[in-house]
Amino acid sequence: MRSVITGGAGFVGSHLVEHLLAAGDEVVVLDDLSTGSLQNLSHLLGDPQLRIVEGTILDGELVRATLTGADRVFHLAAAVGVRLIIDEPLKSLRTNIHGTERVLEAAHEVGARVLLVSTSEVYGKNTADALHEDSDRILGSALKSRWTYAAAKGIDEAFAHAYFTQLGLEVAIVRLFNTVGPRQSGRYGMVVPNLVGQALRGDELTVFGDGQQTRCFSYVRDVVPALVAVAEDDRALGRAFNLGGAEEISIGALAERVIAATGSSSGIRLVPYEEAYAGEGFEDMRRRVPDNTAAGELVGFVPRTPLDEMIRAIAADIRSRSGIDDGAADAEASLVAAGTE
Ligand code: UDP
């Protein structure tokens, strides 16, 4: 089986590469290395089953050439992260809309199956107790970058669905909800690596707004196998599936959990949104809770990893990559002492 992974050098992509190589696939990564990095794949670079193509999904010729001979495509390449979307709205729109269209077009031409990786952002401000796949999308102004991103990913899904219904492309969609884990960068705004990095450095943890907004964090190693199982299931074609975490937690409470799990002596600082995302008239989601029933029924998806375990794994990863060590050794000792490892 030959699999192409667009965005394979990114955070989720690199875990998917690892998983598919272990399953015996021949894997081709297409990545422009803008937010992704070869460092995410450094432990796999010697594998003869792995080939890396550096380039953008906006290059239609390159996409077609890369997909030729592929059985399936996992399309993860996208501009992601609230910070990046706000700083580079044009690039984000182009990559997320035109890039996806090129991938779908090429997959149709070469006869490859597609798994489109989408996002819970498509639900926008819907604060339902459990968002299911046909829940309404509630978006703010199209002049605010965040909603533009949500709109672009919604268009991606609509494109995929139209390729399915009109042209018979084999395509399924997954919507990831705040996936976290080792190798995720805090640079583009993601809260968990940001807070864990701050805790390890002894900096104040920056909690935006009043800290009462909630999320359900899911672990990349729970999500990746489910994502592959959805891609391999014929019943998934033409449909979308949520893949999210089990525990709803406020960001304020998350910061406390990060401090406890890392043994940090950092404090917490509430940062007004105007300061965190200057100049945007920023709107946040107050709440985002997935209903994972559909993926549970289809492929047995259950988000198993507890939040504290995710935090510890991310902390260990940040330490190993950044050389944050002194506090780390203490934190490790206190975790062992507390019987948590
Ligand atoms: N957030 C925070 N501190 C940070 C980064 C993010 O309090 O250093 C908040 C952010 O405003 C949001 C939540 O954490 O309410 C999750 O942010 P993230 O960007 O990780 O994901 P998303 O907003 O897309 O769910």
Side-chain angles (χ1 to χ4, degrees):
M1 176 79 74
R2 184 188 288 182
S3 298
V4 172
I5 307 179
T6 70
F11 154 55
V12 179
S14 67
H15 286 273
L16 180 60
V17 172
E18 207 172 88
H19 183 90
L20 292 178
L21 286 173
D25 278 23
E26 190 186 325
V27 175
V28 182
V29 166
L30 175 61
D31 200 301
D32 68 359
L33 304 180
S34 56
T35 55
S37 156
L38 286 182
Q39 208 189 330
N40 288 333
L41 298 171
S42 56
H43 57 304
L44 304 168
L45 289 178
D47 192 318
Q49 292 285 91
L50 173 64
R51 186 160 68 87
I52 295 172
V53 178
E54 185 180 340
T56 169
I57 51 169
L58 290 169
D59 181 344
E61 282 304 312
L62 179 69
V63 172
R64 194 171 304 109
T66 308
L67 263 57
T68 300
D71 300 294
R72 55 185 182 179
V73 187
F74 294 86
H75 177 43
L76 284 80
V80 291
V82 175
R83 182 75 273 157
L84 181 71
I85 304 304
I86 289 175
D87 290 346
E88 299 193 53
L90 203 49
K91 185 173 176 211
S92 306
L93 273 173
R94 286 184 176 139
T95 306
N96 292 345
I97 297 181
H98 301 321
T100 295
E101 193 188 0
R102 272 160 211 161
V103 170
L104 293 170
E105 205 169 31
H108 177 244
E109 266 179 51
V110 307
R113 179 178 282 207
V114 179
L115 184 84
L116 177 78
V117 177
S118 184
T119 166
S120 57
E121 287 272 327
V122 296
Y123 297 111
K125 294 186 268 192
N126 189 331
T127 56
D129 282 342
L131 293 161
H132 53 86
E133 285 78 359
D134 55 1
S135 290
D136 285 340
R137 305 171 54 221
I138 304 176
L139 306 185
S141 165
L143 303 186
K144 290 186 177 171
S145 312
R146 175 165 215 157
W147 308 124
T148 306
Y149 172 71
K153 295 300 279 192
I155 291 287
D156 286 354
E157 292 193 14
F159 257 127
H161 196 250
Y163 265 91
F164 171 75
T165 52
Q166 226 178 306
L167 300 177
L169 177 71
E170 293 193 351
V171 54
I173 299 165
V174 290
R175 297 184 185 138
L176 305 190
F177 283 66
N178 295 88
T179 310
V180 303
R183 300 181 211 136
Q184 186 177 33
S185 167
R187 209 175 314 145
Y188 309 104
M190 275 70 165
V191 68
V192 176
N194 235 9
L195 297 187
V196 173
Q198 289 165 338
L200 293 179
R201 291 191 301 271
D203 296 343
E204 282 182 320
L205 275 66
T206 54
V207 170
F208 299 164
D210 62 6
Q212 295 304 305
Q213 68 275 31
T214 67
R215 296 293 186 273
C216 298
F217 296 95
S218 59
Y219 194 50
V220 67
R221 293 196 168 112
D222 290 334
V223 166
V224 160
L227 185 154
V228 175
V230 169
E232 291 178 347
D233 197 316
D234 291 349
R235 295 169 301 170
L237 298 175
R239 297 175 61 195
F241 295 86
N242 291 336
L243 295 177
E247 179 186 348
E248 182 179 8
I249 186 166
S250 73
I251 303 303
L254 170 71
E256 284 165 17
R257 294 269 283 273
V258 166
I259 288 171
T262 55
S264 171
S265 53
S266 295
I268 294 173
R269 182 166 68 94
L270 292 182
V271 180
Y273 286 118
E274 310 81 71
E275 195 184 312
Y277 302 104
E280 243 298 299
F282 185 76
E283 283 183 81
D284 201 2
M285 275 49 157
R286 288 303 286 172
R287 181 175 198 219
R288 187 194 278 151
V289 181
D291 179 343
N292 292 313
T293 309
E297 285 175 359
L298 186 81
V299 297
F301 172 65
V302 183
R304 288 184 203 283
T305 308
L307 180 61
D308 294 315
E309 208 176 292
M310 301 182 208
I311 294 171
R312 286 200 297 275
I314 292 163
D317 175 61
I318 294 178
R319 283 174 197 135
S320 71
R321 284 185 296 129
S322 63
I324 299 173
D325 46 23
D326 302 343
D330 294 350
E332 207 88 74
S334 65
L335 282 174
V336 173
T340 46
E341 266 192 354

